[in-house]
Amino acid sequence: MTFRNQLESHPRKIKTVLLLLAFPLLLMGCEAKLDLDGVHQERTKSVRRTDNFQAVATNEAVVTVVGDTGVIITSPKPNGIKEPLQWTRTGLMGKPNLIDIDSCPDNSLIALSVEQQVWISIDNGQDWTKSDLPTREDMLSLTCAPNGDYWVVGSFTTLLHSTNQGKSWKENSLDQDAMLTKIKFLDAQNGFVLGEFGLTAKTEDGGQSWQRFGMLPADFYPQDSYFADLQHGWAAGLYGTILHTTDGGATWRRQETPTDFPLYGFHAEGGRLFVFGEHGTVLELSDQRWVALDTSHLHANGYLRDGEVLADDLLLVAGGRGTIITTNTKQEQ
């Protein structure tokens, strides 16, 4: 009402005001239509910039990478460094946030979500079935043991164990208010779990019982760990920290690294050991020294969470911002 009265009291201004009001409409008429082709093209890609990948696993047939919002991508394993990866994208119902994956001796794949679920594929990642975990604890790591049993660990030192491919679960705990961050079996009988507040435990009877052993530094939170055998192991964490044991975890010593960035995941293959971290960090253990690989040409500026060595020393690494990259790590003789 006020605007109309002002126009009526100043008739000479009416034409000017109407022209000003019409000017944005004229601009809109001249403006090109919003181009959504880029958005549509991004949605049709197997790997997208919005993906945040968390873990990688391989079996005899495929490479599989999992991430947030139920994203799973798979590719046939390349036979050589010149053979490109061909990714196929799958989105799980409910968009669970996948944080870990492992392959089993029978070539099936199992993936863990933060929603207390294990997802299982028996056809190289084409189809997935869900197994709900009977716990309210936050679960963080899973593994498929050499005998095909599933193991999942998490908060309140909880261990979940399935002997029938996720159809039922048995729950156990070390009765400590701590997060278990990694579980891994070396063989059918021997396995390790590591967690916060320096917690370490091992089994020598296939997981029927677990015993505390040694201690990590109490202020060290192991993001990941790896045991090459019953005596030699490594644990990685924040500030570029890597701890090493040569006595089965009874004692740990810090190894020097060329970075202060957080380190998230190990991968070992063919006698080589890698660790991946923040800001595109890739380190390799060489003659008992951690050496940084040059990843500048890979444009990997975000975090790198996990990786796998494929054919001919081709290293695949995965992480945030849709990062899926490969590099030839073959050392010159």
Side-chain angles (χ1 to χ4, degrees):
M1 180 67 70
T2 303
F3 180 68
R4 185 183 64 188
N5 290 340
Q6 287 177 344
L7 291 179
E8 290 174 349
S9 61
H10 299 283
R12 287 177 297 180
K13 295 183 180 179
I14 294 177
K15 185 175 181 180
T16 301
V17 171
L18 291 176
L19 287 174
L20 290 173
L21 290 172
F23 187 65
L25 299 175
L26 293 173
L27 291 178
M28 291 174 61
C30 297
E31 186 178 4
K33 293 182 179 179
L34 181 62
D35 185 5
L36 296 177
D37 288 346
V39 176
H40 296 318
Q41 291 176 4
E42 182 70 15
R43 289 177 177 174
T44 61
K45 292 180 179 179
S46 297
V47 180
R48 303 173 187 173
R49 293 189 300 269
T50 54
D51 293 332
N52 290 305
F53 297 115
Q54 302 292 339
V56 184
T58 61
N59 62 14
E60 292 182 356
V62 296
V63 185
T64 306
V65 186
V66 300
D68 298 351
T69 64
V71 172
I72 299 175
I73 61 172
T74 59
S75 170
K77 288 180 67 174
N79 294 318
I81 197 168
K82 294 183 179 180
E83 183 177 337
L85 292 163
Q86 300 176 345
W87 296 109
T88 299
R89 185 183 185 93
T90 300
L92 296 181
M93 184 177 298
K95 297 183 178 181
N97 294 290
L98 303 169
I99 56 175
D100 203 2
I101 186 171
D102 200 9
S103 60
C104 293
D106 64 356
N107 281 316
S108 62
L109 298 162
I110 56 173
L112 173 67
S113 77
V114 298
E115 290 81 7
Q116 290 96 12
Q117 302 162 342
V118 168
W119 292 82
I120 304 156
S121 175
I122 60 173
D123 57 4
N124 296 321
Q126 297 182 50
D127 300 290
W128 296 82
T129 58
K130 181 181 65 170
S131 172
D132 291 315
L133 298 175
T135 182
R136 299 180 64 180
E137 300 296 335
D138 297 321
M139 308 310 288
L140 199 58
S141 174
L142 93 166
T143 192
C144 197
N147 64 354
D149 288 0
Y150 299 171
W151 289 87
V152 187
V153 298
S155 60
F156 203 74
T157 58
T158 299
L159 299 98
L160 295 176
H161 176 211
S162 175
T163 61
N164 54 10
Q165 290 73 52
K167 296 181 178 64
S168 63
W169 295 87
K170 180 180 179 181
E171 183 173 352
N172 194 6
S173 175
L174 303 180
D175 296 323
Q176 299 289 320
D177 188 9
M179 175 70 78
L180 295 178
T181 62
K182 184 68 175 185
I183 180 168
K184 197 67 178 179
F185 281 81
L186 293 178
D187 52 45
Q189 298 301 315
N190 295 282
F192 294 88
V193 291
L194 275 71
E196 62 180 335
F197 307 131
L199 192 149
T200 56
K202 64 181 179 180
T203 180
E204 297 175 343
D205 55 13
Q208 296 183 48
S209 62
W210 295 83
Q211 298 82 37
R212 295 286 301 272
F213 71 99
M215 280 289 289
L216 291 163
D219 60 348
F220 176 73
Y221 185 93
Q223 297 283 343
D224 195 17
S225 58
Y226 166 74
F227 276 83
D229 52 43
L230 291 176
Q231 300 300 316
H232 299 85
W234 291 262
L238 303 181
Y239 310 112
T241 303
I242 295 180
L243 302 179
H244 179 46
T245 180
T246 59
D247 54 14
T251 59
W252 297 80
R253 296 184 63 182
R254 180 167 181 167
Q255 291 184 322
E256 293 297 324
T257 65
T259 183
D260 293 328
F261 294 135
L263 300 173
Y264 299 129
F266 287 103
H267 176 66
E269 189 76 29
R272 304 176 70 179
L273 181 60
F274 300 89
V275 67
F276 314 101
E278 196 69 45
H279 296 288
T281 299
V282 180
L283 307 181
E284 181 178 6
L285 186 62
S286 177
D287 296 327
Q288 298 305 310
R289 294 179 58 250
W290 288 98
V291 179
L293 275 62
D294 182 10
T295 60
S296 59
H297 63 292
L298 302 176
H299 306 290
N301 298 318
Y303 69 79
L304 300 178
R305 182 69 68 174
D306 199 5
E308 288 275 344
V309 175
L310 307 177
D312 296 339
D313 296 292
L314 180 68
L315 176 65
L316 178 145
V317 290
R321 303 175 186 174
T323 300
I324 291 286
I325 52 181
T326 56
T327 184
N328 184 7
T329 64
K330 189 171 185 178
Q331 298 176 344
E332 296 182 2
Q333 301 298 322

